[in-house]
Amino acid sequence: MAAETAPDIPAGDPKHAVRATRTAGRKIRSVLLDAASRLFRERGLSGTSIADIAAGADAFPSQITYYFRTKEALFVEAACRDMLYLARATEQAALRAGTPRDYTRALVESVTASDAVAFFAEALTLTRRRQDLAPLVERTIERLHAEGLRAYASKIERHGWRSLREPDVTSRRFWAVAIGIMVEGYAMGRSSEALCAEMLRVLGEQATPASDAARLRLVGEAATQSRPEDQS
Amino acid sequence: MAAETAPDIPAGDPKHAVRATRTAGRKIRSVLLDAASRLFRERGLSGTSIADIAAGADAFPSQITYYFRTKEALFVEAACRDMLYLARATEQAALRAGTPRDYTRALVESVTASDAVAFFAEALTLTRRRQDLAPLVERTIERLHAEGLRAYASKIERHGWRSLREPDVTSRRFWAVAIGIMVEGYAMGRSSEALCAEMLRVLGEQATPASDAARLRLVGEAATQSRPEDQS
């Protein structure tokens, strides 16, 4: 219950009008999250203190406890935010891919080039022991899957690709494999290139191109020789 | 280098013959690992102290530092040991499965009924920041994949199943998906049943039964109507 109650007002609270305070609040939160993310990704949870983050954001430690209450809550919020940023960047990176293979490769290269998944996995591990932080993690995973599904479904529809599984499963599978491969690979100090190769290998094909789908139909149904190649 | 050097002899070391000392040492290590595993799985790394583990094993804290040096090294060793135990129990649980679907279900039920994968994933996350512990993790993952591959290859060969991917990829994929699903699911406080359903969904089919393989050959090659059903 305490999580919803406002803590002590930090020293020097400007007491502007509500709207101004909210805008300023959002700005400060964002600056604190940026500094936290940078330090946590570099040094991990136990290697980073609230004082380090305050110094990195040119803020007071009391502002961190005012906006986030605990270092662990800040860790999880920063990791969830970065994970959703990564998911969007990954979709962008794959927008132009013209074949299922190029599409999967673009997604995997984007995901393995960043440590955002490893950061998020650390937040997930932490949340196991801190179930008060689970609702934010749950919302993040729901958004991750919903946005992944939307992007994938629109991509295969636009190109006329045939998904090898239900699109919903494809998107969940993508992130589960990403988390598994990154948690393993980071422990062994693997390079981005090695992570990318391993993830591509484990993921396998996600869809077949329009031409293959047509060919499969030809074999199965002895249909006419039409090939709806890449309509985008 | 320090990891290989013997630390100070603990108080009361019996100084028996080398062989007796080694046997006793193995026994004590094993007792310490059992107590550590129980406490770490219940309370996590930060919720467990060396003193707790010593008390749980009816031992002295100095024995823990003698055999394992640090709490983190003990954590990783206990998690690696439990992971390999789980892998063996999982193979045993799936030995009698007569169809690819039953086989996958038996594997997944066994893996999701225990928190050993979540414990191992926590050790992997820790190892990212403690690369001195990476060699043990690396050996564990190699054994996991090698033993998984051996078990899977022998299973499909014995039953005449057709693997949908290279057997090596199937085994790596299985553990990567397990880690990803468990890290996500434990963060959200999911039940074993929910984890099992989600893992089965994401994993999909791993192989087709002998009868299907024969049917596929029939379609492809118009072969004779023989069905090498379940030879075990």
Side-chain angles (χ1 to χ4, degrees):
Chain A
M1 49 168 285
E4 298 304 314
T5 321
D8 298 332
I9 303 297
D13 183 22
K15 303 263 186 201
H16 286 325
V18 172
R19 187 188 301 267
T21 308
R22 271 198 199 137
T23 310
R26 262 199 298 264
K27 181 103 195 279
I28 298 169
R29 278 182 66 89
S30 165
V31 168
L32 293 172
L33 282 166
D34 288 342
S37 165
R38 203 170 53 242
L39 288 162
F40 284 140
R41 287 167 80 152
E42 198 181 304
R43 309 182 196 166
L45 178 69
S46 62
T48 307
S49 69
I50 286 188
D52 295 336
I53 298 164
D58 206 7
F60 296 107
S62 61
Q63 289 178 295
I64 294 177
T65 49
Y66 174 73
Y67 286 106
F68 302 96
R69 304 194 68 87
T70 64
K71 185 174 80 163
E72 287 73 20
L74 174 55
F75 186 92
V76 170
E77 187 162 338
C80 287
R81 189 191 67 155
D82 287 7
M83 187 68 193
L84 293 174
Y85 283 167
L86 172 72
R88 255 158 261 158
T90 296
E91 281 171 30
Q92 288 294 317
L95 264 186
R96 299 206 190 161
T99 67
R101 198 157 291 175
D102 288 351
Y103 174 68
T104 299
R105 173 168 285 276
L107 292 176
V108 171
E109 275 174 357
S110 166
V111 162
T112 52
S114 142
D115 64 348
V117 173
F119 183 23
F120 185 61
E122 199 173 341
L124 292 173
T125 304
L126 169 67
T127 304
R128 180 185 172 192
R129 310 278 173 199
R130 286 289 306 265
Q131 282 290 302
D132 55 315
L133 305 174
L136 176 59
V137 161
E138 193 142 3
R139 279 199 304 280
T140 303
I141 290 178
E142 271 167 25
R143 275 183 68 179
L144 198 64
H145 290 165
E147 293 179 10
L149 168 60
R150 189 187 38 67
Y152 180 66
S154 108
K155 187 80 188 168
I156 56 174
E157 207 218 313
R158 197 150 60 85
H159 291 274
W161 297 341
R162 198 178 66 110
S163 184
L164 295 174
R165 296 159 201 89
E166 270 182 71
D168 175 40
V169 172
T170 304
S171 137
R172 290 170 171 272
R173 190 172 162 275
F174 181 86
W175 290 114
V177 168
I179 291 171
I181 294 289
M182 304 293 261
V183 166
E184 251 190 33
Y186 269 83
M188 298 193 288
R190 288 226 181 115
S191 68
S192 293
E193 292 72 30
L195 290 167
C196 180
E198 178 74 356
M199 190 172 162
L200 280 171
R201 209 167 150 229
V202 164
L203 207 55
E205 301 214 357
Q206 304 199 99
T208 51
S211 53
D212 279 17
R215 219 178 291 132
L216 282 171
R217 274 198 303 276
L218 281 174
V219 172
E221 306 159 20
T224 52
Q225 192 75 22
S226 81
R227 281 198 181 189
E229 196 97 54
D230 219 18
Q231 297 139 357
S232 69
Chain B
M1 48 168 278
E4 297 304 315
T5 321
D8 299 333
I9 304 296
D13 182 24
K15 301 263 186 205
H16 287 327
V18 172
R19 187 186 301 268
T21 308
R22 272 198 200 136
T23 310
R26 263 200 296 264
K27 181 104 196 278
I28 297 169
R29 277 182 66 89
S30 166
V31 168
L32 293 172
L33 282 166
D34 288 343
S37 166
R38 204 170 52 242
L39 288 163
F40 285 140
R41 287 166 81 153
E42 198 181 307
R43 309 182 194 166
L45 178 70
S46 61
T48 308
S49 68
I50 287 188
D52 295 336
I53 298 165
D58 206 6
F60 296 108
S62 61
Q63 289 178 295
I64 294 177
T65 50
Y66 174 73
Y67 286 107
F68 302 97
R69 303 193 69 87
T70 63
K71 186 174 79 163
E72 286 73 20
L74 174 55
F75 186 92
V76 170
E77 187 163 337
C80 287
R81 188 191 66 153
D82 287 7
M83 187 67 194
L84 292 173
Y85 284 167
L86 172 72
R88 254 159 260 158
T90 297
E91 280 171 31
Q92 288 294 317
L95 264 186
R96 298 205 191 161
T99 66
R101 197 157 293 175
D102 288 351
Y103 173 68
T104 300
R105 174 168 284 276
L107 293 176
V108 171
E109 275 175 356
S110 166
V111 161
T112 52
S114 141
D115 65 348
V117 173
F119 183 22
F120 185 61
E122 200 173 340
L124 291 174
T125 304
L126 170 66
T127 305
R128 179 186 172 192
R129 309 279 174 198
R130 287 289 307 265
Q131 282 290 301
D132 56 313
L133 305 173
L136 175 58
V137 161
E138 193 142 3
R139 280 199 304 280
T140 303
I141 291 178
E142 271 166 26
R143 276 183 68 179
L144 197 64
H145 290 165
E147 293 180 11
L149 168 60
R150 189 186 39 64
Y152 181 66
S154 108
K155 188 81 188 167
I156 55 174
E157 206 217 312
R158 196 150 61 84
H159 291 274
W161 296 342
R162 198 178 65 109
S163 184
L164 295 175
R165 298 160 198 88
E166 271 182 69
D168 174 41
V169 172
T170 302
S171 139
R172 290 171 170 271
R173 189 172 161 275
F174 181 85
W175 289 113
V177 168
I179 292 170
I181 294 289
M182 304 293 261
V183 166
E184 251 191 34
Y186 269 83
M188 297 192 289
R190 288 228 180 115
S191 68
S192 294
E193 292 71 31
L195 290 168
C196 179
E198 178 73 356
M199 189 172 163
L200 280 171
R201 209 168 151 229
V202 163
L203 207 56
E205 302 214 356
Q206 304 198 100
T208 50
S211 53
D212 279 16
R215 220 177 291 133
L216 283 171
R217 275 200 301 278
L218 284 175
V219 172
E221 306 160 21
T224 54
Q225 192 75 21
S226 80
R227 280 200 184 186
E229 195 97 54
D230 218 18
Q231 297 138 358
S232 70

